[in-house]
Amino acid sequence: MNKYYLTTPIYYPSDNLHIGHTYTTVAADTIKKYKKLKGYDVFFTTGTDEHGQKIQEKAKESGLTPKEYVDGIVKDIKKLWELLEIDYDYFRRTTDEEHEKSVQKIFTKLYEKDEIYKSYYEGYYCTPCESFWSKSQLVDGNKCPDCGRETHLEKEETYFFRLSKYRDRLLKLYEENPDFIQPESRKNEMINNFLKDGLDDLSVSRSTFDWGIRVPFDQKHVIYVWIDALSCYITALGYGTENEENFEKFWPADVHLVGKEIVRFHTIIWPALLMALDLPLPKKVFGHGWILFDDDKMSKSKGNVIYPEPIIELYGIDAFKYFLLREFSFGQDGSFTREKFLQRLNSDLANDLGNLVSRTITMIEKYNESIIPKIGIEESIDEELKSLALSTYKKVDEYMEAFNFSNALEEIWKLIRRTNKYVDETMPWILAKENKKDRLDTVLYNLAESLRIVSILINPVMTKTSKDILAQLGIDEHLTWGDASSWGKLKSGLKVNKKEIMFPRLDIEKELEKLEKANSDLIERRKELKERNRVEENKEVKEIEEKEDFITIDDFSKVKLKVAKVIDCTNHPKADKLLVLTLKIGDETRTVVSGIKEYYKPEDLIGKKVIVVANLKPVKLRGIESRGMILAAEDENGKLTLLSTLEEIDDGATIS
Ligand code: MSP
């Protein structure tokens, strides 16, 4: 069986994911479903990229530990994938112990092979972007060229990966594998912007924060996020663990799907790291475009973030996935607006697909007692429909192979529209009225057959709708992609089952309001939840702080208390308030200086047993070294008495 391995990037769990993030995962899931229908053994990895300074700071702002903070978001991310019925095979968290161990092994291996060395890094550091910049790269004085925020000069001891030496091998890789970077334009970007003028070695550790995987042989450093994150693609397959079966089977990846801004990491750093590890390289990196909101970048501070949950709850996952993959061209940026979404719902889903399903099933019910008829009289117009269906399959298959979902869906919709037109042209209600049963049978069969093909072709994107149409046609067998490649496979005699309308027409004005409200309600709910967590967290922190008046038994056991006998006692020669005591503690004799001269005369103490803190750090008091402290109790009136034992006991006895 052919195998296929594909991945999404692992998402930063610094905040809830918006529709932009969802886009990559929906595309990956669609590819998986498509390949599975074609009979491939597919493995699909996704996950979360949880380390780094930004997350550490976000967690601090919320009063949580980094792990507590990411745990909450990761739960929401997994819930979102469940809601979208994303069929991933492995969810890799970079805080998984297994991942951490494998990454440490990778780092050590690279160090031992002299692919990594220790040196210094100096540059202008942007904390939110976790990036170093050179002076010439800064904008407006000392601002980060990526986010426009202030940077600061930092010099840091760091480990470097010898990235520079891989420049030529990378250029050769692109040349020999023209499909390695897709779309083509991104390849040119990599060559012209990064490789043409040579590459610098890459800083791969940090010592200025500690939320990361430790460099195993130098605990001061944590492994910088990119080695940590990129390795997820192989650690998710068990690389570096006892069980590398999946790695042996699925590596190298057939495709890494990534957003355009991280193409550089995946086409320069990642292959170079793999070359250094002597591992096979992925076959393809596809850099898709960005989803903007009204032509603007989505961001929390601009208040224009669109979350997927309200859309899915109101209109279902298929409408959402259809829109994402139909509206935007996968390689390019596109702009999301709620109007466009609702318009497509009305035109493509309600008018075209929903209408075709509903009229086909209704007519079979009405004119043939719900049974799919046998073909009767054929006419030339049928040929047109047939040949369009067959050419649609071919085109859709080609577009799907190229991850051109938008064109693939467009072709399917051409077939849907043509089939609707076929209804208008053949007018089955007239055929029924005129009792032309043989012709009517053919028309009804052809409509059902076209729908069968459509439902297979939309399956990778609109799985629920596809199953729903097949169920309405009375088909319950498992179909494969190839079943859409020929006309006439539909069995006559099947009984159709009408269900309620799949995509009712919507009042756009009303829905717009609903959608906007649902999105802002969700934002409010999340804010409140965060606030509530913070309040509760503060309460807990306070309680813990109050509890900090207590010490644990371990704390107490650090203090070594002993019974000591005073064998000599004199006034301190240089101090008015101090006595110098010679104590016998078992076999040992030691000197302790104590500020009790106003309470005791030396002769009162000689021969008495006292309690001494035996492991106190020695101090010199007015020239005499005191090795310990004797315990005394003092009341509010200033009365002071030395502590002793209730019964007589040998000196050297331990107190616990
Ligand atoms: N953690 C890194 C990836 C490490 S992979 C070894 C990261 N995470 S991210 O959460 O910032 O982004 C994850 C993916 O979401 C990226 O591919 C990014 O391009 C994509 N998107 C984030 N916002 C997006 C849009 N508005 N539109 C489309 N995709 C976008 O980068």
Side-chain angles (χ1 to χ4, degrees), residues 8-14 17-24 48-50 54 225-226 228-233 257-263 265-266 288-293 296-298 333-334:
T8 71
I10 48 171
Y11 299 96
Y12 289 129
S14 45
L17 303 189
H18 55 60
I19 57 164
H21 304 107
T22 316
Y23 185 47
T24 327
T48 38
D49 186 358
E50 306 186 7
K54 201 150 75 183
V225 284
W226 282 102
D228 174 1
L230 289 162
S231 303
C232 81
Y233 299 134
L257 292 184
V258 300
K260 60 178 185 178
E261 84 289 8
I262 55 173
V263 168
F265 299 99
H266 286 79
H288 64 73
W290 273 40
I291 296 186
L292 308 169
F293 180 75
D296 201 357
K297 203 169 162 180
M298 268 187 267
D333 288 355

Side-chain angles (χ1 to χ4, degrees), residues 205-216:
S205 78
R206 292 284 182 274
S207 55
T208 45
F209 63 89
D210 60 4
W211 176 236
I213 303 174
R214 296 263 162 213
V215 171

Side-chain angles (χ1 to χ4, degrees), residues 312-513:
I312 299 164
E313 272 151 28
L314 285 168
Y315 310 104
I317 62 176
D318 280 10
F320 176 67
K321 293 199 293 182
Y322 171 76
F323 179 74
L324 284 186
L325 298 180
R326 171 69 186 92
E327 181 69 25
F328 308 110
S329 187
F330 196 50
Q332 288 152 25
D333 288 355
S335 191
F336 176 90
T337 69
R338 296 187 177 97
E339 288 85 346
K340 278 199 233 168
F341 170 70
L342 293 167
Q343 273 155 9
R344 274 215 185 267
L345 225 78
N346 266 354
S347 63
D348 301 7
L349 301 187
N351 273 7
D352 297 340
L353 180 61
N355 190 26
L356 178 63
V357 174
S358 134
R359 58 208 298 218
T360 302
I361 303 295
T362 306
M363 288 190 292
I364 295 174
E365 264 185 348
K366 198 164 159 193
Y367 304 132
N368 207 45
E369 292 168 357
S370 299
I371 302 297
I372 294 183
K374 280 203 183 90
I375 293 202
I377 295 175
E378 297 197 273
E379 289 182 8
S380 60
I381 193 170
D382 305 343
E383 277 312 310
E384 216 184 285
L385 185 66
K386 258 190 237 177
S387 70
L388 181 68
L390 297 179
S391 65
T392 301
Y393 169 83
K394 278 204 194 108
K395 284 186 194 159
V396 171
D397 192 51
E398 273 169 32
Y399 284 134
M400 289 297 282
E401 284 295 333
F403 309 145
N404 188 340
F405 311 109
S406 178
N407 282 9
L409 289 167
E410 193 181 345
E411 291 303 325
I412 303 172
W413 255 255
K414 279 186 195 160
L415 176 61
I416 293 172
R417 286 191 201 110
R418 181 66 192 87
T419 315
N420 266 326
K421 196 168 155 223
Y422 178 82
V423 179
D424 301 336
E425 287 164 344
T426 53
M427 293 185 285
W429 49 94
I430 305 277
L431 297 173
K433 214 167 154 192
E434 294 175 353
N435 261 334
K436 294 183 175 160
K437 176 100 177 70
D438 275 356
R439 178 65 192 141
L440 179 62
D441 281 355
T442 309
V443 169
L444 294 181
Y445 181 91
N446 285 347
L447 289 176
E449 175 60 346
S450 180
L451 263 188
R452 181 190 70 88
I453 290 174
V454 163
S455 58
I456 295 172
L457 297 180
I458 61 169
N459 182 288
V461 182
M462 304 175 77
T463 315
K464 274 187 168 186
T465 308
S466 158
K467 283 186 187 155
D468 200 30
I469 300 173
L470 291 172
Q472 294 200 49
L473 289 171
I475 300 172
D476 59 6
E477 65 195 299
H478 174 74
L479 298 180
T480 67
W481 187 251
D483 286 325
S485 67
S486 46
W487 184 271
K489 277 203 158 184
L490 176 69
K491 290 191 191 109
S492 35
L494 292 174
K495 189 166 186 299
V496 301
N497 315 285
K498 189 157 191 241
K499 289 204 183 146
E500 57 192 56
I501 290 183
M502 283 189 298
F503 299 104
R505 264 192 81 81
L506 303 165
D507 176 336
I508 294 195
E509 286 302 311
K510 258 198 212 150
E511 299 302 318
L512 265 179
E513 254 176 55

